[in-house]
């Protein structure tokens, strides 16, 4: 075996570059994660090559940590991707350029106009209370006639 | 100009690689990627010819070229394949090539672990999710890549700088290699029977990196809990 690690470094650089190209060009969320795993592969090849070059175990131990983190990353990313997929029924990355919730994000034009013309304070609104009125067939509100006994009975219940 | 003429082989190979990636990319105007596939062996041979000169050890060279070729071929096709399931399978092929490189680098335990974890768990999970979230055949976001030309140029520049650095450090002109080689040969001989064995890796993990091992275990636990918490649920509460 040759102690010269440059061949492995070349292969590692190629794998890393291919993973980077895949990460930039892919529009599928899952394949972007796979491309990042490819970049991790390139790093692992480098680490084992240096481990061999120096005759020590440190590179291989680090590769095991890379493997651990890759497994964590895969599990978490797939859970997130499934959650995102449930919302939009699509894996397109362009749908998720802004990850905020829509109702919380003020649109750009809105914030610009707000600076010019400040909005008036919203008036307080009355909380609806009481029984929902019953509307009869003729369109008028049918008010139930409350007798004295019903009112007193309600008061007793309360 | 002098610099360009000195590194003409490197630049030419990188241009060939970039052109091949661009040809392999699916595009709307072109139906098939046959020119890209035809160019593929030429690119691999050029990469091997320019950067990976044989060292003279025949068995090692054959094994290395097989493993490295598999890894780079799998990476190329994974990057450019339009069907996501095929892309995941090409990633598994690239993983096998990388494991071959691990074996040549005297890390057989790591190779076995990588095959088990990647091909056995990660790729299977990815394929599962792809099938769960599969659209009708050939959805638009798989067929049309995002800025393929810019990304290819950027990636080739990145690879080019790395290869240039490697060549400067380990090339025939560099002076440090001849010094290092003797010293390193001795050190690699002294532990050669131990390097890469499960016992040796375990001794390194549980002595030098004990704290990191505990941290990695904690990270795994947290990631598991997080994945379960994030995973989408049906209204009745089951996963």
């Amino acid at each position: 075996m040759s102690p010269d690690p440059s061949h492995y470094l070349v292969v590692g650089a190629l794998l890393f570059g291919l993973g980077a190209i895949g990460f930039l060009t892919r529009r599928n969320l899952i394949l972007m994660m796979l491309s990042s795993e490819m970049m991790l592969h390139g790093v692992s090849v480098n680490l084992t090559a240096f481990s061999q070059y120096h005759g020590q175990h440190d590179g291989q131990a680090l590769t095991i940590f890379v493997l651990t983190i890759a497994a964590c990353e895969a599990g978490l990313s797939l859970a997130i991707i499934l959650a995102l997929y449930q919302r939009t029924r699509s894996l397109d990355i362009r749908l998720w350029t802004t990850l905020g919730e829509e109702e919380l994000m003020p649109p750009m034009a809105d914030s610009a106009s707000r600076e010019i013309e400040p909005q008036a304070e919203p008036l307080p609104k009355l909380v609806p209370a009481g029984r929902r009125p019953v509307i009869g067939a003729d369109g008028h509100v049918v008010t139930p006639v409350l007798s004295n006994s019903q009112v007193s009975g309600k008061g007793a219940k309360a | 100009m002098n610099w360009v003429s000195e590194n003409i082989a490197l630049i030419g190979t990188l241009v060939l690689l970039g052109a091949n990636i661009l040809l392999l990319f699916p595009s709307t105007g072109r139906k098939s990627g046959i020119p890209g596939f035809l160019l593929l062996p030429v690119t691999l041979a050029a990469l091997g010819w320019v950067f990976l000169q044989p060292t003279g050890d025949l068995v090692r060279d054959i094994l290395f070229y097989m493993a490295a070729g598999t890894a780079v071929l799998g990476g190329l096709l994974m990057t450019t394949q339009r069907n996501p399931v095929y892309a995941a399978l090409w990633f598994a092929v690239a993983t096998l090539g990388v494991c071959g490189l691990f074996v040549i680098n005297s890390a057989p335990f790591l190779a076995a672990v990588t095959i088990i974890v990647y091909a056995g768990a990660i790729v299977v999970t990815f394929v599962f999710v792809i099938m769960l979230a599969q659209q009708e055949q050939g959805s638009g976001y798989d067929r049309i890549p995002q800025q393929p030309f810019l990304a290819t140029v950027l990636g080739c520049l990145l690879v080019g700088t790395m290869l240039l650095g490697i060549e400067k450090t380990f090339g025939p002109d560099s002076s440090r290699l001849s010094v290092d080689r003797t010293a390193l040969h001795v050190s690699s001989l002294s532990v050669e029977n131990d390097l890469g064995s499960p016992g040796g890796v375990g001794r390194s993990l549980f002595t030098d990196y004990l704290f990191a091992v505990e941290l990695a275990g904690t990270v795994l636990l947290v990631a598991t809990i997080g994945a379960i918490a994030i995973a989408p649920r049906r209204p009745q509460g089951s996963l």
Side-chain angles (χ1 to χ4, degrees):
Chain A
M1 310 254 172
S2 147
D4 182 3
S6 72
H7 286 184
Y8 304 99
L9 299 192
V10 168
V11 176
L14 283 174
L15 285 180
F16 191 91
L18 287 173
I21 293 174
F23 193 83
L24 289 175
T25 55
R26 281 289 182 180
R27 286 172 57 195
N28 190 330
L29 277 171
I30 298 175
L31 293 178
M32 287 178 72
M33 297 316 298
L34 267 185
S35 301
S36 71
E37 306 272 344
M38 182 67 74
M39 290 156 83
L40 289 182
H41 268 335
V43 175
S44 300
V45 169
N46 276 9
L47 283 174
T48 52
F50 280 122
S51 175
Q52 160 95 352
Y53 186 61
H54 292 285
Q56 287 168 351
H57 280 112
D58 301 69
Q60 301 193 8
L62 282 178
T63 310
I64 287 190
F65 291 127
V66 169
L67 212 65
T68 314
I69 300 304
C72 293
E73 174 210 328
L76 274 179
S77 66
L78 288 178
I80 293 174
I81 286 170
L82 269 186
L84 295 182
Y85 178 74
Q86 297 260 322
R87 283 206 193 179
T88 56
R89 297 280 145 196
S90 169
L91 291 174
D92 194 350
I93 190 67
R94 288 188 187 174
L95 296 178
W96 297 104
T97 46
T98 56
L99 272 178
E101 305 202 10
E102 279 173 26
E103 57 265 31
L104 297 181
M105 300 269 295
M108 283 299 178
D110 210 35
S111 64
S113 66
R114 198 176 296 158
E115 284 177 7
I116 301 166
E117 187 182 348
Q119 280 185 351
E121 264 192 29
L123 292 171
K125 283 178 186 167
L126 289 177
V127 181
R131 207 186 283 173
R132 190 191 185 86
V134 183
I135 297 173
D138 54 348
H140 292 289
V141 177
V142 180
T143 43
V145 181
L146 296 181
S147 64
N148 266 344
S149 64
Q150 273 177 315
V151 172
S152 62
K154 284 210 165 179
K157 261 183 207 166
Chain B
M1 259 6 249
N2 193 18
W3 183 86
V4 172
S5 58
E6 271 177 19
N7 295 293
I8 191 72
L10 187 144
I11 295 169
T13 320
L14 281 179
V15 169
L16 186 62
L17 178 71
N20 197 350
I21 292 174
L22 278 179
L23 276 178
L24 277 171
F25 266 128
S27 72
T28 46
R30 205 158 13 83
K31 280 258 169 75
S32 70
I34 290 177
F37 281 110
L38 288 182
L39 199 58
L40 207 51
V42 181
T43 308
L44 287 181
L47 281 173
W49 182 256
V50 175
F51 300 114
L52 310 170
Q53 290 287 334
T55 54
D57 186 349
L58 189 65
V59 178
R60 178 249 172 223
D61 278 344
I62 290 173
L63 285 175
F64 172 77
Y65 286 133
M66 280 171 60
T70 313
V72 176
L73 180 77
L76 269 169
L77 288 176
M78 189 215 80
T79 307
T80 54
Q81 191 64 239
R82 67 184 78 184
N83 190 334
V85 179
Y86 287 171
L89 294 179
W90 279 116
F91 175 75
V93 170
T95 305
L96 289 184
V98 167
C99 288
L101 289 178
F102 284 177
V103 171
I104 302 171
N105 268 328
S106 61
F109 173 68
L110 260 185
V113 169
T114 306
I115 285 182
I116 290 169
V117 171
Y118 269 98
I122 293 184
V123 170
V124 170
T125 321
F126 271 104
V127 171
F128 258 120
V129 174
I130 288 171
M131 287 172 175
L132 270 181
Q134 184 71 298
Q135 300 274 307
E136 66 280 1
Q137 189 59 36
S139 44
Y141 52 83
D142 278 327
R143 264 186 277 121
I144 303 162
Q146 189 175 23
Q147 298 280 5
F149 184 75
L150 267 181
T152 309
V153 170
L154 209 67
C156 286
L157 280 179
L158 178 70
V159 173
T161 45
M162 286 194 281
L163 292 181
L164 210 62
I166 293 167
E167 206 180 354
K168 283 271 187 298
T169 315
F170 294 101
D173 308 333
S174 69
S175 55
R176 47 164 293 195
L177 191 62
S178 54
V179 181
D180 279 354
R181 196 170 251 164
T182 49
L184 290 163
H185 214 60
V186 174
S187 73
S188 66
L189 274 180
S190 58
V191 288
E192 194 172 19
N193 44 8
D194 191 28
L195 184 64
S197 68
V201 177
R203 200 173 305 123
S204 173
L205 274 179
F206 288 105
T207 52
D208 298 340
Y209 296 99
L210 182 60
F211 188 60
V213 166
E214 304 289 342
L215 270 183
T218 315
V219 168
L220 265 178
L221 178 70
V222 171
T224 314
I225 296 171
I228 293 171
I230 292 171
R233 285 173 175 74
R234 293 202 183 87
Q236 59 264 33
S238 60
L239 276 175

